[in-house]
Amino acid sequence: MFIYFRRGGLMTAWVRVRDRITARDARGLADLVITLSDAERAEVARLLPDLRSDLRQAAGRRAGERWSPDPGGSEWDGDGDGEWDEEGDGGEGNGRGPGAWDGPWDGAWAGDGVGGHGEVLRIAGAGVLAGPAATAAWLTRRELTGRRARAQEVIRVLAARPAGWQAEVAARLVKKIRTADDRNAPLALAVLRACGTPPPEHDPLVTAWLRTRPAAGDPLIGPLLPRIFEAEGVGRLLREERLEPAPTRWFALIEELVATRRVSRAELLDGCLRRFLRGGHAIDLRFFVRLHRMLDPTPQEAAAHVRDYLRLLPAAPGTVAELALAQVHRGGPYDKTEAIEAIGALTFRSEAKLALQGLRWLEREAAHAADLAPALATAFGHASYEVQERATRIALKHAAAFAPAGEILAEAVPLLPATLGTRVAARFGGDVTPQEQPAAFTPPPLPTPAGPEPFPEPTLDVSHSVYQWVDGERWLAAFVRQAAGDREEMRRTLAEQFGGSYPQVYAHEEWVDVSHWIGALARQVTEPTSDPGPTSDPEPTSDPGPTSDPGPAAGPGLASASVTISTSRSRQEMGPDRTPTAADLRDGRHARHDPLTPAPNDSCRRVDVADARLTGRGQPVGSIPAPA
């Protein structure tokens, strides 16, 4: 903890600096440090690191208090952790934004690691530290640079220092930039603009500057814009810049600079060509291709660079090669050697579009056919059949011109398909590659289908949720079979399996699952009185459907348990939009379609469980005939 130093009743320079730091008085601190003497600067520079350490520790303690449970019920009591902890200062730099405990000072959440004191500490360091290296290191400390760090007062203090010292600090700040979105880039760029020193050569500086959306009056345009053609990462950063439907930000800015003659067209064209000749992926060159298209070189400008455009034809990405070929044609004339070299480069390219353009150029230069025979032979081996066919037509059309170099074409005949090679060989000789005959397709033998297996034995031992139709059929078959036999044994078996199951089955408006039907049948056997019956009087129907008297042998509870064989709702009774309810199905007013058995027609048929004893004789439920 620091104490106040007084000399002759007056506060020392350190105390005045310290008071403004703890008060976060950025402007007052900047005014103060600019006026300090060398001795006072040395005194403050000696004590400043200790103050930074104390502020960082206090911010850490305060962060722990804010995020820890408070038994008193308040998240933060506002008590300070030192003389510089004023009410509401918090802001440990966690980047989470304001919370319920924020004090009146909004800058507390600047996102730094010293309780919101990062800006004033940077101002103090910029004004009192002697060495450029120490100053640059202090200004770029992570705990002092928050997400909303302001640099205006820092720049004002730096501008008051000697010019050579400023240039050294600016150079060191630039070298600390690593990426286009580096947190140190805004300060470094601001220092460069303020001190006017030439920026050092550093590729990340260029990409960081491009991200800042500079205006036309930016003093860094002059030294940094020409470097976009050499700096790595520029093309990928600007790959989304477009000319249509309207020029985007950077194209509009460059267009304005060219119109006002702040940037030379010749300089931009030279830069594009230098960037093309360096090579790279098409996506990295996309911005420069569009920039070249925007500049739209004149025939005179294209002629001045025709050799550079010719050098781009063999290996540049397709978009660049197309651009270069257009400028070669625009900028002519060119000598015979250059034309032969360019045509050979084009016919060698894998892109069919460029190879075809090379063949068109070759046909226009038929007067030099003997020298162009190697380029034509190269086209014979192209992967595109269209290119091979065009090369064959040219060879036959200008056969007399190519006759002196016929041996070159004859050697390339095997590269052509048999249909084309035969035509060329008839004129120039050569061996035709025989056309391969595809092997006759013989289908493999089909696997022997597996024979039908016997249907599984009926059983009441299935899970409460039936997912396979086979399990439902087995259960219903066993139910009907045992209903015609020992019913007491069946009742005990079902009570063990389904006792208490499906308690809400009768509350459902619809039974859409096989398990609901099985549960209802089991409950009718084990709890004959569980069915609450219809909720209203049955609607009159013209044909209630055939039923049968269960007879005295049916036993209690089985008279009302019926098995639906195959049903579909009656259109006359239900109408097109009405869905049957569970009560309808229980009372026989409407019959539900059993998903286990297809519905043969639109009639409704019911078979009582008691009748199964008389008619089914243990047959599967789907085969029990309906009673007459």
Coordinates of all heavy atoms in Angstrom, one line a residue, residues 506-548:
Y506 N -59.1 -46.6 -20.7 CA -60.5 -46.3 -21.1 C -60.7 -44.8 -21.1 O -61.7 -44.3 -21.6 CB -61.4 -46.9 -20.0 CG -61.4 -48.4 -20.0 CD1 -61.1 -49.1 -18.9 CD2 -61.8 -49.1 -21.2 CE1 -61.0 -50.5 -19.0 CE2 -61.8 -50.5 -21.2 CZ -61.4 -51.2 -20.1 OH -61.4 -52.5 -20.1
A507 N -59.7 -44.0 -20.7 CA -59.8 -42.6 -20.8 C -59.4 -42.0 -22.2 O -59.6 -40.9 -22.5 CB -59.0 -41.9 -19.7
H508 N -58.7 -42.9 -23.0 CA -58.2 -42.4 -24.3 C -59.4 -42.3 -25.2 O -60.3 -43.1 -25.3 CB -57.2 -43.4 -24.9 CG -55.9 -43.5 -24.1 ND1 -55.1 -42.4 -23.9 CD2 -55.3 -44.5 -23.5 CE1 -54.1 -42.7 -23.2 NE2 -54.1 -44.0 -22.9
E509 N -59.4 -41.2 -26.0 CA -60.4 -41.0 -27.0 C -60.2 -42.0 -28.2 O -61.2 -42.5 -28.8 CB -60.3 -39.6 -27.6 CG -60.9 -38.6 -26.6 CD -62.4 -38.7 -26.4 OE1 -63.1 -39.1 -27.3 OE2 -62.8 -38.4 -25.2
E510 N -59.0 -42.4 -28.5 CA -58.7 -43.3 -29.5 C -57.6 -44.3 -29.0 O -56.8 -44.0 -28.2 CB -58.1 -42.6 -30.8 CG -59.0 -41.6 -31.4 CD -58.4 -40.9 -32.6 OE1 -57.2 -41.1 -32.8 OE2 -59.1 -40.2 -33.3
W511 N -57.8 -45.5 -29.6 CA -56.7 -46.6 -29.4 C -56.0 -46.8 -30.7 O -56.5 -47.4 -31.6 CB -57.4 -47.9 -28.9 CG -58.0 -47.8 -27.5 CD1 -57.8 -46.9 -26.6 CD2 -58.9 -48.7 -27.0 NE1 -58.5 -47.1 -25.5 CE2 -59.2 -48.2 -25.6 CE3 -59.6 -49.9 -27.4 CZ2 -60.1 -48.9 -24.8 CZ3 -60.4 -50.5 -26.6 CH2 -60.7 -50.0 -25.3
V512 N -54.8 -46.2 -30.8 CA -54.1 -46.3 -32.0 C -52.9 -47.2 -32.0 O -52.2 -47.4 -32.9 CB -53.6 -44.9 -32.4 CG1 -54.7 -43.9 -32.7 CG2 -52.7 -44.3 -31.3
D513 N -52.8 -47.9 -30.8 CA -51.6 -48.8 -30.6 C -52.1 -50.2 -30.3 O -53.1 -50.3 -29.5 CB -50.7 -48.3 -29.5 CG -49.4 -49.0 -29.5 OD1 -48.5 -48.6 -30.3 OD2 -49.3 -49.9 -28.7
V514 N -51.5 -51.2 -30.8 CA -51.9 -52.6 -30.5 C -51.8 -52.8 -29.0 O -52.6 -53.6 -28.4 CB -50.9 -53.6 -31.2 CG1 -51.3 -55.0 -30.9 CG2 -51.1 -53.3 -32.7
S515 N -50.8 -52.2 -28.3 CA -50.7 -52.5 -26.9 C -52.0 -52.0 -26.1 O -52.3 -52.6 -25.1 CB -49.5 -51.7 -26.4 OG -48.3 -52.1 -27.0
H516 N -52.6 -50.9 -26.6 CA -53.9 -50.5 -25.9 C -54.9 -51.6 -26.0 O -55.7 -51.8 -25.0 CB -54.3 -49.2 -26.5 CG -53.4 -48.0 -26.3 ND1 -53.4 -46.9 -27.0 CD2 -52.4 -47.9 -25.3 CE1 -52.5 -46.1 -26.6 NE2 -51.9 -46.6 -25.6
W517 N -55.1 -52.2 -27.2 CA -56.1 -53.2 -27.4 C -55.8 -54.4 -26.5 O -56.7 -55.0 -25.9 CB -56.2 -53.6 -28.8 CG -56.7 -52.5 -29.7 CD1 -56.0 -51.6 -30.3 CD2 -58.1 -52.3 -30.1 NE1 -56.8 -50.7 -31.0 CE2 -58.1 -51.2 -30.9 CE3 -59.3 -53.0 -29.7 CZ2 -59.3 -50.7 -31.4 CZ3 -60.5 -52.5 -30.3 CH2 -60.5 -51.4 -31.1
I518 N -54.5 -54.8 -26.5 CA -54.2 -56.0 -25.6 C -54.4 -55.7 -24.2 O -55.0 -56.5 -23.4 CB -52.7 -56.3 -25.9 CG1 -52.5 -56.9 -27.3 CG2 -52.2 -57.3 -24.8 CD1 -51.1 -57.2 -27.6
G519 N -54.0 -54.4 -23.7 CA -54.3 -54.1 -22.3 C -55.8 -54.1 -22.0 O -56.2 -54.5 -20.9
A520 N -56.6 -53.6 -22.9 CA -58.0 -53.5 -22.6 C -58.6 -54.9 -22.5 O -59.4 -55.2 -21.6 CB -58.7 -52.7 -23.7
L521 N -58.2 -55.8 -23.4 CA -58.7 -57.2 -23.4 C -58.2 -57.9 -22.1 O -59.0 -58.6 -21.4 CB -58.2 -58.0 -24.6 CG -58.8 -57.6 -25.9 CD1 -58.0 -58.3 -27.0 CD2 -60.2 -58.0 -26.0
A522 N -57.0 -57.7 -21.7 CA -56.5 -58.3 -20.4 C -57.3 -57.8 -19.2 O -57.6 -58.5 -18.3 CB -55.0 -58.0 -20.3
R523 N -57.6 -56.4 -19.2 CA -58.3 -55.9 -18.1 C -59.7 -56.4 -18.0 O -60.3 -56.5 -17.0 CB -58.3 -54.4 -18.1 CG -56.9 -53.8 -17.8 CD -57.0 -52.3 -17.6 NE -57.7 -52.0 -16.3 CZ -58.0 -50.8 -15.9 NH1 -57.6 -49.8 -16.6 NH2 -58.7 -50.7 -14.8
Q524 N -60.4 -56.6 -19.2 CA -61.7 -57.2 -19.2 C -61.8 -58.6 -18.6 O -62.8 -58.9 -18.0 CB -62.2 -57.2 -20.6 CG -62.7 -55.8 -21.1 CD -63.9 -55.3 -20.4 OE1 -64.8 -56.0 -20.1 NE2 -63.9 -54.0 -20.1
V525 N -60.7 -59.3 -18.7 CA -60.6 -60.6 -18.1 C -60.3 -60.6 -16.6 O -61.0 -61.2 -15.8 CB -59.6 -61.5 -18.9 CG1 -59.5 -62.9 -18.2 CG2 -60.0 -61.7 -20.3
T526 N -59.3 -59.7 -16.3 CA -58.9 -59.7 -14.9 C -59.7 -58.8 -14.0 O -59.9 -59.0 -12.8 CB -57.4 -59.3 -14.8 OG1 -57.3 -58.0 -15.4 CG2 -56.5 -60.2 -15.6
E527 N -60.3 -57.7 -14.6 CA -61.2 -56.8 -13.8 C -62.4 -56.5 -14.6 O -62.5 -55.5 -15.3 CB -60.4 -55.5 -13.6 CG -59.1 -55.7 -12.9 CD -58.3 -54.4 -12.8 OE1 -58.9 -53.3 -12.7 OE2 -57.0 -54.4 -12.8
P528 N -63.4 -57.4 -14.6 CA -64.6 -57.3 -15.4 C -65.3 -56.0 -15.3 O -66.0 -55.5 -16.2 CB -65.4 -58.5 -15.0 CG -64.5 -59.4 -14.4 CD -63.4 -58.6 -13.7
T529 N -65.2 -55.3 -14.1 CA -66.0 -54.1 -13.8 C -65.2 -52.9 -14.1 O -65.6 -51.8 -13.7 CB -66.5 -54.1 -12.4 OG1 -65.4 -54.2 -11.5 CG2 -67.4 -55.3 -12.2
S530 N -64.0 -53.0 -14.7 CA -63.1 -51.8 -14.8 C -63.6 -50.9 -15.9 O -63.2 -49.7 -15.9 CB -61.7 -52.2 -15.0 OG -61.6 -53.0 -16.2
D531 N -64.4 -51.4 -16.9 CA -64.8 -50.6 -18.0 C -65.9 -49.7 -17.5 O -67.0 -50.1 -17.1 CB -65.3 -51.5 -19.1 CG -65.6 -50.7 -20.4 OD1 -65.6 -49.4 -20.3 OD2 -65.9 -51.3 -21.4
P532 N -65.7 -48.3 -17.6 CA -66.8 -47.4 -17.1 C -68.0 -47.4 -18.0 O -69.0 -46.8 -17.6 CB -66.1 -46.1 -17.0 CG -65.0 -46.2 -18.0 CD -64.5 -47.6 -18.0
G533 N -67.9 -47.9 -19.2 CA -69.0 -47.9 -20.1 C -69.1 -46.6 -20.8 O -68.3 -45.7 -20.7
P534 N -70.1 -46.5 -21.7 CA -70.3 -45.3 -22.5 C -70.6 -44.0 -21.7 O -71.2 -44.1 -20.6 CB -71.4 -45.6 -23.5 CG -72.2 -46.6 -22.7 CD -71.2 -47.5 -21.9
T535 N -70.1 -42.9 -22.1 CA -70.4 -41.6 -21.4 C -71.7 -41.0 -21.7 O -72.2 -40.1 -21.1 CB -69.2 -40.6 -21.7 OG1 -69.2 -40.4 -23.1 CG2 -67.9 -41.2 -21.3
S536 N -72.4 -41.5 -22.8 CA -73.7 -41.0 -23.2 C -74.5 -42.2 -23.8 O -73.9 -43.2 -24.1 CB -73.5 -39.8 -24.2 OG -72.8 -40.3 -25.3
D537 N -75.7 -41.9 -24.0 CA -76.6 -42.9 -24.6 C -76.1 -43.2 -26.0 O -75.7 -42.3 -26.8 CB -78.0 -42.5 -24.7 CG -78.6 -42.3 -23.3 OD1 -78.1 -43.0 -22.4 OD2 -79.6 -41.5 -23.1
P538 N -76.2 -44.5 -26.5 CA -75.7 -44.8 -27.8 C -76.6 -44.1 -28.8 O -77.8 -43.9 -28.7 CB -75.9 -46.3 -27.9 CG -76.0 -46.8 -26.5 CD -76.6 -45.7 -25.7
E539 N -75.9 -43.7 -29.9 CA -76.6 -43.1 -31.0 C -77.4 -44.2 -31.8 O -76.9 -45.3 -32.0 CB -75.7 -42.4 -32.0 CG -74.9 -41.3 -31.3 CD -73.9 -40.7 -32.2 OE1 -73.8 -41.1 -33.4 OE2 -73.2 -39.8 -31.8
P540 N -78.6 -43.9 -32.2 CA -79.3 -44.9 -33.0 C -78.7 -45.1 -34.4 O -78.2 -44.2 -35.0 CB -80.7 -44.3 -33.2 CG -80.5 -42.8 -33.1 CD -79.4 -42.7 -32.1
T541 N -78.6 -46.4 -34.7 CA -78.0 -46.7 -36.0 C -78.9 -47.7 -36.7 O -79.7 -48.4 -36.1 CB -76.6 -47.4 -35.8 OG1 -76.8 -48.6 -35.1 CG2 -75.6 -46.5 -35.1
S542 N -78.8 -47.7 -38.1 CA -79.7 -48.5 -38.8 C -79.2 -50.0 -38.8 O -80.0 -50.9 -38.9 CB -79.7 -48.0 -40.3 OG -78.4 -48.0 -40.8
D543 N -77.9 -50.2 -38.6 CA -77.4 -51.6 -38.6 C -76.3 -51.6 -37.5 O -75.2 -51.3 -37.8 CB -76.9 -52.0 -39.9 CG -76.4 -53.4 -39.9 OD1 -76.7 -54.1 -38.9 OD2 -75.7 -53.8 -40.9
P544 N -76.7 -52.0 -36.3 CA -75.7 -52.0 -35.2 C -74.6 -53.1 -35.4 O -73.6 -53.1 -34.7 CB -76.5 -52.3 -34.0 CG -77.7 -53.0 -34.4 CD -78.0 -52.5 -35.8
G545 N -74.7 -54.0 -36.4 CA -73.7 -55.0 -36.6 C -74.1 -56.3 -35.9 O -74.8 -56.3 -34.9
P546 N -73.6 -57.4 -36.5 CA -73.9 -58.7 -35.9 C -73.2 -58.9 -34.6 O -72.0 -58.5 -34.4 CB -73.4 -59.7 -37.0 CG -72.4 -58.9 -37.7 CD -72.8 -57.5 -37.7
T547 N -73.9 -59.4 -33.6 CA -73.3 -59.8 -32.4 C -73.8 -61.2 -32.0 O -74.7 -61.7 -32.6 CB -73.7 -58.9 -31.2 OG1 -75.1 -58.8 -31.1 CG2 -73.2 -57.5 -31.5
S548 N -73.2 -61.8 -31.1 CA -73.6 -63.2 -30.7 C -73.7 -63.2 -29.2 O -73.0 -62.5 -28.5 CB -72.6 -64.2 -31.2 OG -71.4 -64.0 -30.6

